[in-house]
Amino acid sequence: MKRDSDGREQRSEIAPTISQVAKISGVSRATVSRAFTRPEMLSEETVRRVKAVADKLGYVPNQVARALSTGRHGNVALIVSDVANPFFPPLIRAAQLHADRAGLCVFLGNSDEDPAREELLLGRFIGQVEGLVLASSRLDEAQIRIYAARRPLVLINRDIEGITRVLIDTAPGVAAAITHLAELGHRHIAYVSGPTTSWSNQQRRNAIRKEAAKRGLKVIAIPARPPSYDTGRLAAAPIVASGVTAAIAFDDLVAQGLLAGLAALDVDVPKSFSVVGCDDVLGETTYPPLTTVSARCADAGDVAVGLLLSQMNGGASGEIRHKLNSHLVVRASTGPAPAKRKGR
């Protein structure tokens, strides 16, 4: 290896080859290839040794050549419905970490709550990836099945029979939120709802209705579409006008906007009104700190990529329905129902 004028080592201008990595590592060319493409077939020590040598030499696998010879691109796609929503960054990070460990690159797409854009992204990605993860997909079932027939595919928070899916079951946490509000004396509650096509929204709405009926509570629905800080803020006025004493928001972002809208109307939280969010991605950063349903978004990303890799490597696919549980985290945004509004 050449050295510069200060005596530091310089990498050669000639790109190192897989044969050089194999020779120095003491393994075959096939083993070097597997270390980058199928690391699960090798021991962890072998993978570490090969990658350490490759890094020292500056060797980078030729993804295009590999795709031509093996049909494997070394890429997977992850499409989310709204990359700006704080629910998704932990999910994306966990998915990418899992893919990195498997030597895969993640193509990230943001559909922006638009099914037409989601289909456009799928059309662009599908010729370059080996598998797909769709998080909170807004496509209809028939469209999703078409893509599932073309590539290994895993859904997050979309429950379609026969397609592998990871579901964050927020129903228990939402039911606990209703119980919590009932115990604080709230009898009239609003649900600030999300997209009508969202599986999560349907689960939360049904859980609220079921638990409220058991406890004799009255529930109204106020839409926040698309779910955002601004739609949550704008929902504050009709919610206050309705006479309810508490609200459960579709997610933490909507709840954060609702808190801001209530503050602008001089409604004190939690003295005069209680707010519950969902996902627990902003709960400790709002004012007051938000009571919310904890949803395991990072776990969902990690599990989804693991299930996708299993499919890509010939493992089981189809009727795998992996559920992640949730629970209520009580903070300072909920309090006793104000006496003047109880029973309304």
Side-chain angles (χ1 to χ4, degrees):
M1 188 172 284
K2 294 181 179 179
R3 295 180 180 273
D4 62 19
S5 58
D6 295 322
R8 292 174 299 193
E9 290 184 345
Q10 290 181 315
R11 286 177 175 170
S12 170
E13 294 181 1
I14 301 174
T17 66
I18 191 171
S19 297
Q20 290 174 304
V21 176
K23 182 177 180 181
I24 296 173
S25 302
V27 299
S28 67
R29 285 165 50 97
T31 297
V32 174
S33 178
R34 289 191 185 101
F36 287 95
T37 61
R38 304 287 295 275
E40 71 282 357
M41 297 179 65
L42 307 173
S43 69
E44 291 184 5
E45 192 280 328
T46 297
V47 173
R48 281 196 299 268
R49 184 169 78 250
V50 169
K51 289 190 173 181
V53 171
D55 184 62
K56 185 175 181 180
L57 293 178
Y59 170 76
V60 178
N62 187 325
Q63 299 286 0
V64 174
R66 187 180 75 180
L68 289 172
S69 63
T70 66
R72 303 197 66 155
H73 297 272
N75 307 317
V76 295
L78 169 61
I79 299 179
V80 302
S81 60
D82 181 6
V83 74
N85 190 308
F87 171 83
F88 287 108
L91 184 155
I92 293 166
R93 184 174 185 272
Q96 185 150 12
L97 284 172
H98 197 135
D100 283 346
R101 291 195 298 269
L104 296 170
C105 177
V106 176
F107 290 1
L108 176 63
N110 172 38
S111 71
D112 212 15
E113 296 285 352
D114 182 355
R117 176 164 176 75
E118 185 174 353
E119 188 160 29
L120 177 66
L121 289 167
L122 281 165
R124 290 174 176 173
F125 288 161
I126 201 161
Q128 306 175 67
V129 301
E130 297 175 50
L132 304 163
V133 176
L134 306 183
S136 301
S137 176
R138 304 307 185 216
L139 293 177
D140 64 41
E141 180 177 326
Q143 290 172 298
I144 291 174
R145 290 191 182 280
I146 289 171
Y147 289 104
R150 296 182 62 186
R151 291 287 187 276
L153 186 149
V154 175
L155 298 169
I156 297 176
N157 281 353
R158 187 67 186 273
D159 195 6
I160 297 179
E161 186 177 351
I163 297 178
T164 298
R165 62 268 200 206
V166 179
L167 304 173
I168 301 174
D169 185 11
T170 50
V174 168
I178 290 290
T179 299
H180 172 63
L181 292 172
E183 290 173 348
L184 290 171
H186 296 277
R187 310 300 301 168
H188 192 182
I189 297 166
Y191 174 51
V192 190
S193 62
T196 56
T197 57
S198 164
W199 177 85
S200 296
N201 181 63
Q202 294 164 9
Q203 296 301 302
R204 292 166 195 178
R205 183 188 62 210
N206 292 340
I208 288 170
R209 287 176 176 172
K210 181 178 179 180
E211 194 64 26
K214 282 171 55 177
R215 297 181 175 277
L217 308 185
K218 183 179 179 181
V219 177
I220 64 169
I222 302 287
R225 300 171 189 149
S228 68
Y229 175 89
D230 286 336
T231 56
R233 179 176 54 81
L234 292 172
I239 285 173
V240 171
S242 72
V244 302
T245 60
I248 299 176
F250 169 70
D251 63 17
D252 280 5
L253 189 59
V254 172
Q256 184 186 41
L258 178 57
L259 289 172
L262 291 169
L265 296 171
D266 294 322
V267 176
D268 185 279
V269 176
K271 184 178 179 181
S272 300
F273 198 90
S274 291
V275 176
V276 178
C278 197
D279 292 340
D280 198 18
V281 290
L282 293 175
E284 294 181 337
T285 63
T286 62
Y287 182 80
L290 184 65
T291 295
T292 186
V293 176
S294 179
R296 297 159 58 185
C297 44
D299 287 347
D302 180 64
V303 170
V305 171
L307 291 172
L308 183 67
L309 290 173
S310 176
Q311 284 189 57
M312 288 164 51
N313 293 323
S317 62
E319 197 52 50
I320 296 176
R321 191 173 186 269
H322 189 106
K323 290 180 71 173
L324 299 170
N325 292 326
S326 63
H327 63 278
L328 183 68
V329 179
V330 178
R331 297 193 180 96
S333 67
T334 49
K340 65 179 181 180
R341 296 183 121 189
K342 284 182 181 179
R344 287 191 63 167

